[in-house]
């Protein structure tokens, strides 16, 4: 078993997956020059959309150009307001100026909204990477009283979920077996031995074991959703594991458990990710 | 303890743990209702947490993709006209100087309008090109090597179901240790005339260059547009119009051949998933490989 899992880190060096981005920036002396960047991003969708895109960027590393309209909106709006109060006396503002300012401010509001709308268009790629929130520690615990094959399956499933999706913490509970891996906020009083019991208690409290539908919270506000989750969780996906009814038998679909994924970025799971996670959950459901 | 030791040997999570504070506030905050849903009176507690709210903005934008892409152009253009109209109607000379506050406000509004128009143009230019699906020509088949233990065959079937549900995969062939242990999905129709699906000649495949290269490099090979590759002749069992093929090595002894119905249909995420699934499959099969060679001698 250790053979399977310890060989996995080596795969990082062996894998030759086609890289998603080919930065071909032409660097010039002026830092703010316009340069071109070839981006080959492939989008998940039922219709197999695919694009090779030539995008113009300012060549500043770490600057996300898709947010430029938002900053321009804020900047120009503040300049408009400044101009209104400082540029002239209040007594001499004409209705024409007020109309122009109204148009300008509504345009600024729309510009601020543009990156938000752009996120939902087809072909929008998530440029943030999952960051690890403070105060979490990396853990890997699993129920002990289960078969070895089950342990391998759980370990592999948690590994693949952490590796291939934008997940920072994963919790799988299926047929009485529990496995938690990733970055969690562990309370002080729960030592390593009691960790599994702490997870069980939290799950009981929320009642996740009886979940029938997939839950997806793509954008969490700052309020803490559940005490179980690491602080800084922005997206949450809970996928129930349903028991596949045997053909011919007249039984309802039972609930075997669930797979819980937490991520520190918003809108972390696209349609393709959710499809894969559902397929992985089916593995435990048979 | 074995499980505990895994924690120390394997740290596969590859991102760097530097912390970045989130500076941009989200514009819309979706409220969560923490009302306890009425739980029915069975012994197991029902789910009591919040239910996710329907993200109507996301749905609206995804469904009207083209309209939303050209929206900033219309908004910017309309505002441009409005500003100019305002200026002429109010009797101010259309001179672009920044002397009066009116002119300054006009210039700022013009700048915003131009930004919007440019954004709309960028969005239109990066519209993804939809690629059509090509139905594979051939017959459906499902052949599993008969002497496989249950765990292996159920794993193979799970792999096929996942791939066919999630990706554009329409054919899956698994060759291990000179045997074809799985051929499922579409296959080329045999030219002999009985319409049977073409069988996989595992030995011939293993002597071919595609297989040799994949095993030697140990890495996945993605033939995004199969019609461009001369190695296509080594895969006669695939439907002739298979568009994309992924060859995933299973350890040193086997390969999984995944045929898809769209050019470049497998995304990088798909490739990553297939790689890791391939390793798991290899581990599962390798555990039972003694059964394979034993049963082959029967």
């Amino acid at each position: 078993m250790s053979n399977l899992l310890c060989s996995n880190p080596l795969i990082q060096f062996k894998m030759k997956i086609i890289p998603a981005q080919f930065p071909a920036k032409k660097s010039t002396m002026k830092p703010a020059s316009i340069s071109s960047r070839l981006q080959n991003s492939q989008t998940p969708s039922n219709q197999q959309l695919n694009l090779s895109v030539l995008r113009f960027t300012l060549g500043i590393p770490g600057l996300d150009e898709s947010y430029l309209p938002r900053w321009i909106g804020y900047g120009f709006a503040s300049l408009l307001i400044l101009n209104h109060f400082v540029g002239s006396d209040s007594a001499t503002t004409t209705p024409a100026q007020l109309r122009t300012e109204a148009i300008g401010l509504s345009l600024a509001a729309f510009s601020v909204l543009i990156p938000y709308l752009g996120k939902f268009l087809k072909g929008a790629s998530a440029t943030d990477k999952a960051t690890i929130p403070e105060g979490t520690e990396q853990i890997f615990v699993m129920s002990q009283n289960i078969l070895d094959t089950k342990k391998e399956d759980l370990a592999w499933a948690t590994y693949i979920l952490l590796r291939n999706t934008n997940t920072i913490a994963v919790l799988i509970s299926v047929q009485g077996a529990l496995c938690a891996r990733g970055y969690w906020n562990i309370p002080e009083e729960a030592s390593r031995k009691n960790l599994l019991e702490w997870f069980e208690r939290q799950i009981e409290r929320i009642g996740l074991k009886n979940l029938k539908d997939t839950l997806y919270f793509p954008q969490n506000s700052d309020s803490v959703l559940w005490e179980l989750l690491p602080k800084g969780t922005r997206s949450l996906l809970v996928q129930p594991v349903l028991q596949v009814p045997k053909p011919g038998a007249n039984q309802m679909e039972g609930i075997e458990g669930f797979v819980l994924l937490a991520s520190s970025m918003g809108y972390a799971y696209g349609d393709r990710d959710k499809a894969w996670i559902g397929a992985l959950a089916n593995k435990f459901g048979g | 303890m074995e499980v505990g030791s895994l924690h120390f040997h394997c740290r596969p999570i590859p991102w760097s743990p530097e912390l970045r504070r989130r500076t941009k506030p989200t514009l819309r905050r979706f409220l969560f209702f923490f009302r306890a849903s009425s739980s029915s009176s069975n012994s197991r507690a029902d789910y009591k947490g919040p239910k996710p709210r329907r993200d109507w903005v996301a749905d609206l934008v995804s469904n009207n993709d083209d309209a939303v892409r050209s929206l900033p152009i219309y908004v910017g253009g309309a505002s441009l006209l409005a500003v100019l109209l305002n200026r002429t109607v109010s009797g101010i000379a259309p001179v672009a100087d920044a002397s009066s506050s009116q002119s300054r406000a006009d210039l700022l509004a013009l700048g915003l309008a131009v930004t919007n128009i440019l954004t709309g143009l960028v969005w239109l230019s990066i519209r993804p090109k939809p690629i059509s699906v090509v139905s594979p020509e051939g017959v459906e088949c499902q052949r599993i090597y008969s002497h496989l233990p249950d765990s292996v065959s159920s794993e193979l079937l799970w792999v096929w179901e996942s791939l066919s549900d999630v990706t554009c995969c329409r054919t899956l062939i698994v060759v291990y240790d000179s045997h074809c242990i799985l051929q499922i999905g579409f296959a080329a129709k045999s030219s002999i005339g009985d319409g049977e699906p073409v069988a996989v000649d595992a030995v011939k495949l293993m002597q071919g260059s595609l297989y040799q290269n994949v095993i030697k490099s140990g890495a996945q090979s993605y033939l995004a547009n199969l019609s461009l590759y001369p190695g296509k002749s080594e895969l006669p069992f695939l439907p002739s119009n298979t568009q994309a093929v992924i060859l995933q090595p299973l350890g040193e002894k086997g390969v999984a051949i995944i045929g898809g119905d769209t050019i470049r249909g497998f995304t990088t995420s798909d490739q990553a998933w297939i790689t890791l699934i391939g390793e798991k499959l290899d581990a599962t099969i390798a555990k039972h490989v003694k059964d394979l060679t034993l049963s082959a001698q029967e």
Side-chain angles (χ1 to χ4, degrees):
Chain A
M1 177 174 161
S2 52
N3 219 11
L4 162 70
L5 295 153
C6 283
S7 67
N8 283 329
L10 297 177
I11 298 304
Q12 300 181 44
F13 309 111
K14 278 207 299 187
M15 234 169 22
K16 270 190 250 164
I17 292 182
I18 299 172
Q21 291 188 359
F22 300 89
K25 291 194 243 219
K26 304 185 197 101
S27 57
T28 65
M29 303 304 278
K30 294 181 288 194
S33 63
I34 311 256
S35 56
S36 61
R37 168 177 83 184
L38 200 72
Q39 179 174 355
N40 182 17
S41 62
Q42 294 163 314
T43 60
S45 155
N46 284 340
Q47 278 137 9
Q48 315 296 329
L49 302 180
N50 204 323
L51 64 151
S52 288
V53 165
L54 202 66
R55 276 176 110 139
F56 288 101
T57 107
L58 290 175
I60 304 172
L63 192 72
D64 189 5
E65 282 74 29
S66 60
Y67 283 101
L68 206 56
R70 178 170 288 183
W71 301 327
I72 291 181
Y74 284 143
F76 279 30
S78 42
L79 284 177
L80 269 173
I81 296 177
L82 197 72
N83 180 50
H84 180 83
F85 290 116
V86 172
S88 64
D89 308 323
S90 303
T92 57
T93 36
T94 59
Q97 178 167 347
L98 288 174
R99 281 198 291 267
T100 306
E101 281 172 6
I103 294 174
L105 285 176
S106 46
L107 264 182
F110 187 72
S111 304
V112 164
L113 208 55
I114 275 180
Y116 173 70
L117 290 179
K119 242 188 329 203
F120 303 119
L121 291 173
K122 294 194 188 71
S125 57
T127 45
D128 301 330
K129 296 201 71 106
T131 58
I132 298 163
E134 294 180 17
T136 55
E137 46 177 289
Q138 189 174 356
I139 63 164
F140 181 16
V141 293
M142 202 184 316
S143 308
Q144 288 311 305
N145 51 343
I146 49 179
L147 295 170
D148 270 350
T149 46
K150 197 79 190 220
K151 283 191 194 168
E152 281 181 30
D153 280 350
L154 283 174
W156 173 79
T158 46
Y159 171 71
I160 199 175
L161 285 169
L162 285 168
R163 183 83 196 271
N164 275 348
T165 57
N166 292 315
T167 309
I168 55 168
V170 59
L171 173 68
I172 301 185
S173 161
V174 62
Q175 287 161 355
L178 189 68
C179 179
R181 195 166 181 176
Y183 291 91
W184 293 88
N185 278 121
I186 309 299
E188 293 302 325
E189 61 270 7
S191 73
R192 213 137 271 256
K193 280 200 293 287
N194 306 342
L195 216 47
L196 284 171
E197 280 137 30
W198 180 75
F199 275 116
E200 283 281 354
R201 275 202 306 275
Q202 295 290 329
I203 293 171
E204 282 296 324
R205 192 182 307 173
I206 305 171
L208 279 175
K209 284 207 169 129
N210 246 1
L211 193 64
K212 270 208 164 52
D213 312 307
T214 308
L215 286 185
Y216 180 38
F217 295 101
Q219 184 84 26
N220 190 13
S221 57
D222 292 327
S223 69
V224 175
L225 192 56
W226 291 330
E227 192 197 320
L228 173 66
L229 300 174
K231 280 201 234 331
T233 298
R234 285 232 128 68
S235 319
L236 176 70
L237 176 67
V238 185
Q239 170 83 34
V241 175
L242 300 171
Q243 189 176 47
V244 174
K246 300 209 182 352
N250 211 5
Q251 71 189 81
M252 303 279 289
E253 266 189 352
I255 302 172
E256 299 259 341
F258 64 91
V259 174
L260 185 149
L261 299 164
S263 171
S264 57
M265 33 183 289
Y267 296 99
Y269 302 107
D271 289 333
R272 188 55 72 104
D273 292 323
K274 284 193 260 188
W276 274 115
I277 293 166
L280 196 65
N282 282 339
K283 188 173 197 333
F284 292 106
Chain B
M1 171 148 38
E2 208 180 8
V3 171
S5 69
L6 285 165
H7 179 47
F8 300 112
H9 288 311
C10 307
R11 290 194 177 259
I13 302 177
W15 55 72
S16 62
E18 51 189 283
L19 303 159
R20 263 188 289 160
R21 206 188 310 260
R22 309 209 141 253
T23 51
K24 52 174 174 16
T26 53
L27 204 58
R28 301 278 166 88
R29 290 174 185 273
F30 295 104
L31 303 171
F32 290 97
F33 307 100
F34 279 90
R35 72 182 156 202
S37 54
S38 57
S39 54
S40 49
S41 58
N42 44 2
S43 52
R44 273 163 104 186
D46 268 346
Y47 171 61
K48 283 199 274 291
K51 307 241 181 328
R53 204 176 189 181
R54 261 200 54 185
D55 200 349
W56 59 272
V57 176
D59 291 339
L60 199 69
V61 174
S62 333
N63 293 339
N64 304 323
D65 190 72
D66 286 336
V68 172
R69 281 186 194 270
S70 25
L71 185 66
I73 299 183
Y74 295 130
V75 168
S79 320
L80 197 73
L81 289 174
V83 164
L84 289 177
L85 200 69
N86 179 42
R87 223 175 145 87
T88 42
V89 160
S90 324
I92 311 169
V95 173
D97 64 339
S99 52
S100 72
S101 69
Q102 166 78 36
S103 304
R104 285 196 289 270
D106 278 341
L107 281 175
L108 289 173
L110 284 180
L112 281 170
V114 165
T115 307
N116 276 350
I117 293 178
L118 285 179
T119 304
L121 288 176
V122 168
W123 279 0
L124 279 179
S125 73
I126 65 171
R127 182 175 11 208
K129 185 174 59 163
I131 302 189
S132 53
V133 167
V134 175
S135 270
E137 279 168 12
V139 289
E140 295 233 19
C141 73
Q142 181 168 351
R143 292 177 179 152
I144 300 187
Y145 191 69
S146 45
H147 302 289
L148 286 177
D150 272 344
S151 55
V152 175
S153 56
S154 62
E155 179 117 345
L156 287 170
L157 288 174
W158 169 75
V159 171
W160 160 245
E161 274 167 26
S162 313
L163 283 175
S164 56
D165 278 340
V166 180
T167 66
C168 67
C169 162
R170 290 287 163 265
T171 311
L172 175 63
I173 287 148
V174 178
V175 170
Y176 198 88
D177 210 17
S178 316
H179 299 279
C180 170
I181 59 175
L182 179 73
Q183 182 183 7
I184 199 169
F186 279 94
K189 215 190 276 196
S190 162
S191 55
I192 297 180
D194 54 352
E196 283 291 303
V198 174
V200 177
D201 189 347
V203 177
K204 192 156 156 225
L205 178 71
M206 289 172 68
Q207 289 161 353
S209 59
L210 274 180
Y211 178 86
Q212 299 282 339
N213 287 339
V214 145
I215 293 291
K216 199 158 48 152
S217 66
Q220 184 187 86
S221 171
Y222 180 24
L223 310 177
N225 192 352
L226 190 61
S227 52
L228 303 174
Y229 287 89
K232 188 178 174 190
S233 54
E234 294 181 23
L235 307 169
F237 38 81
L238 290 178
S240 50
N241 58 352
T242 301
Q243 301 288 304
V245 164
I246 285 189
L247 297 153
Q248 173 65 39
L250 305 173
E252 310 235 322
K253 291 197 189 168
V255 70
I257 301 174
I258 302 160
D261 60 6
T262 315
I263 298 182
R264 290 189 295 274
F266 294 102
T267 64
T268 43
S269 148
D270 290 341
Q271 287 176 277
W273 279 93
I274 288 171
T275 306
L276 289 169
I277 289 176
E279 286 165 26
K280 178 74 165 52
L281 208 55
D282 174 42
T284 311
I285 298 176
K287 268 205 302 211
H288 302 274
V289 76
K290 354 186 241 314
D291 301 346
L292 257 182
T293 47
L294 268 178
S295 52
Q297 285 161 9
E298 286 168 14

